[in-house]
Amino acid sequence: MADSLGIVILAAGKGTRLKVDIPKSLCPMLGKPLIDHVLSNLDSFQNEYELQAKISVVVGHKKEEVKKSISSNWADVSFVTQEEQKGTAHALQCYFEQNKDAWDSKYTLVVCADTPLIGKEEFGKLFKALQDDEDAQASAAVFNTPNPTGYGRIVMGGQGFDIVEEKDASEDQRRINLVNSGLYFFRTSHIKEHLGSIENENKSGEFYLTDLFKKSFNVKAVNYEDSYKFLGINNLVQLEEASLIKQRNIILKHQLAGVRFINSSSCYIEESVEIGAGSVVYPGVTLEGETTIGQNCILESGVVIKNSEVQNNCSIFANSYLEKSLIKEDVRIGPMARIRPGSEIGAGSKIGNFVETKNAKLDKKVSVSHLSYVGDANIGENTNLGCGFITCNYDGVQKHLTTIGKNSFIGSDSQMIAPITLGDEVYVASGSTINKDIPSGGFGIARGRQVTKEGMAKRFLKKKD
Ligand code: UD1
Ligand code: MG
């Protein structure tokens, strides 16, 4: 049996007004392409109302790129091609031509790819308005705005209303503040009856979908108070505006769940991020992707964390940068540390300033307090790596592993020429370049012997005139 609701997302347009080289529907907003926001809002709507509609996206400009991006996250979405963009009504025509089953759906929902804030409540209200009025043929979401520039104006009259695009509007019509959001529900029979007769006699020479609304039709304009939800992204100013609105809601959710922000407006937190109660976020923090922060953590200013897990009671000090890593509980990192992909920092460990780790597994209570590089390494519990410790992991072709056991002490300014293995309770003297394995309990020293000549310094100390 065919679905009683078909969903079409219009995404074939160039997005010329954005003035960027990527298709508008893929423009990033809070870490996700614009259209992914629309798709996930539709998903929530369908879950809430127990619907299982088929979703089709009309693609055109850079269609392969758009299809690839959407398919990678949304397996059930299908595509319709609009080779030449002749307007929104033409886009809908392409949908029905390439999707014959779509005529069987009782209702058709049309939404633009550039309205990322329309949520399940807005979809639900508009759907209900049409379902509850058996005589109505379509419902359009409209709202009042002090700045109607760019939107189609709603001109009420007769049984319904006209939607007049900005370009075609008279002076008087341009002063109308009631505008079209670009979200509609139709009885599919209404589309079948009128879509074919839409003409392109207007300033743009385009076939307007908005011509499915007329004063002579029984169509409903459903007014929404929360006009910001319908913000359409046509330029980069609106993109930032929508992004900040969504960001505010994300932060609000964390604040109400017990996360303390010192200056939330300066932070960038993506929707996928989780933060435990009791944590404090300083100004200018960036948290991206699949990132989880535990309870009672401190994230100081300038911290950037991407796709990482930071467990409870950690302090990440100013300007530290973490990527694809696991930080276990009670760890201190930074200031100014770089934790690169594949790092696993054991509970109670300490990573100090100007330390870089990469693909490094540090067990519990390891200390790397200053100026070090720990790459491709396994470091045992309770081992101390002194200031200026370096794993020489790369021979110019391949990366090699450094293994150091537990309870060891590696003196400052030591290098490990990998591959190399040091056992437990090893002691390495400062300034050593270690290129041979050291067994457990062993002492290693590898540096030139010191020679001291008394009184000889004056030969080298130059006198200042
Ligand atoms: C549209 C509405 C306008 C409304 C506004 C709300 C029309 C004619 N106008 O204007 O009344 O106030 O949205 O944001 O519908 N698209 C295609 N194929 C095309 C043309 C456009 O798929 O041939 C897609 C675009 O990719 C976009 C959507 O349709 O996602 C809307 O197009 P856009 O150019 O943004 O229309 P607006 O000028 O914003
Ligand atoms: Mg638009």
Side-chain angles (χ1 to χ4, degrees), residues 162-180:
D162 289 334
I163 302 179
V164 183
E165 290 306 306
E166 169 130 334
K167 279 185 187 164
D168 306 303
S170 65
E171 283 288 302
D172 279 353
Q173 287 171 331
R174 282 187 192 198
R175 278 194 283 273
I176 296 174
N177 293 97
L178 189 63
V179 299
N180 170 32

Side-chain angles (χ1 to χ4, degrees), residues 276-312:
S279 288
V280 183
V281 182
Y282 280 63
V285 167
T286 296
L287 304 176
E288 291 183 13
E290 300 306 314
T291 289
T292 310
I293 310 293
Q295 296 179 352
N296 304 315
C297 290
I298 294 172
L299 308 180
E300 281 194 350
S301 297
V303 161
V304 176
I305 306 180
K306 302 181 178 184
N307 299 305
S308 295
E309 179 183 343
V310 176
Q311 297 183 349
N312 296 342

Side-chain angles (χ1 to χ4, degrees), residues 10 12-13 17 24 82 85 87-88 113-114 151-152 165 180-181 234:
L10 307 183
R17 289 165 282 180
K24 171 151 81 173
Q82 185 193 21
Q85 285 80 61
T88 43
D114 64 353
Y151 291 105
E165 290 306 306
N180 170 32
S181 72
N234 295 318

Side-chain angles (χ1 to χ4, degrees), residues 106-351:
K106 184 170 179 190
Y107 299 100
T108 302
L109 186 180
V110 182
V111 61
C112 299
D114 64 353
T115 45
L117 302 178
I118 302 177
K120 59 181 180 196
E121 293 82 10
E122 288 72 45
F123 288 121
K125 181 175 161 183
L126 196 64
F127 194 20
K128 199 160 182 305
L130 182 59
Q131 282 177 313
D132 289 355
D133 183 344
E134 278 184 16
D135 298 327
Q137 297 305 307
S139 55
V142 303
F143 61 93
N144 271 294
T145 171
N147 179 15
T149 312
Y151 291 105
R153 310 299 202 276
I154 304 295
V155 183
M156 302 300 294
Q159 257 192 311
F161 54 92
D162 289 334
I163 302 179
V164 183
E165 290 306 306
E166 169 130 334
K167 279 185 187 164
D168 306 303
S170 65
E171 283 288 302
D172 279 353
Q173 287 171 331
R174 282 187 192 198
R175 278 194 283 273
I176 296 174
N177 293 97
L178 189 63
V179 299
N180 170 32
S181 72
L183 169 66
Y184 328 94
F185 278 88
F186 295 97
R187 286 189 195 277
T188 309
S189 52
H190 178 74
I191 301 178
K192 195 161 197 171
E193 203 178 327
H194 300 287
L195 187 63
S197 49
I198 290 179
E199 291 179 353
N200 63 347
E201 307 288 311
N202 53 53
K203 290 262 168 59
S204 310
E206 287 188 3
F207 295 91
Y208 291 156
L209 173 58
T210 43
D211 285 352
L212 287 175
F213 295 87
K214 282 196 190 328
K215 286 178 180 163
S216 55
F217 293 159
N218 187 346
V219 286
K220 296 172 88 81
V222 179
N223 205 332
Y224 286 75
E225 292 287 315
D226 286 341
S227 59
Y228 72 89
K229 297 256 175 112
F230 296 97
L231 185 63
I233 313 299
N234 295 318
N235 57 43
L236 292 180
V237 178
Q238 290 163 326
L239 181 69
E240 190 201 11
E241 209 177 321
S243 185
L244 290 176
I245 290 170
K246 181 127 197 192
Q247 180 69 103
R248 184 73 210 114
N249 285 335
I250 293 170
I251 286 173
L252 205 74
K253 189 190 79 188
H254 291 301
Q255 285 173 322
L256 295 175
V259 179
R260 182 157 69 88
F261 284 81
I262 290 173
N263 178 354
S264 66
S265 63
S266 64
C267 294
Y268 175 84
I269 319 277
E270 291 181 356
E271 201 175 10
S272 44
V273 171
E274 289 172 28
I275 312 175
S279 288
V280 183
V281 182
Y282 280 63
V285 167
T286 296
L287 304 176
E288 291 183 13
E290 300 306 314
T291 289
T292 310
I293 310 293
Q295 296 179 352
N296 304 315
C297 290
I298 294 172
L299 308 180
E300 281 194 350
S301 297
V303 161
V304 176
I305 306 180
K306 302 181 178 184
N307 299 305
S308 295
E309 179 183 343
V310 176
Q311 297 183 349
N312 296 342
N313 305 315
C314 288
S315 295
I316 316 294
F317 297 118
N319 299 316
S320 295
Y321 195 104
L322 286 65
E323 262 181 297
K324 287 190 185 160
S325 290
L326 168 63
I327 316 298
K328 297 207 173 155
E329 63 272 13
D330 300 309
V331 166
R332 285 183 294 159
I333 291 182
M336 290 157 291
R338 181 164 180 212
I339 308 299
R340 291 172 53 200
S343 298
E344 199 179 303
I345 313 296
S349 291
K350 183 181 174 229
I351 307 287

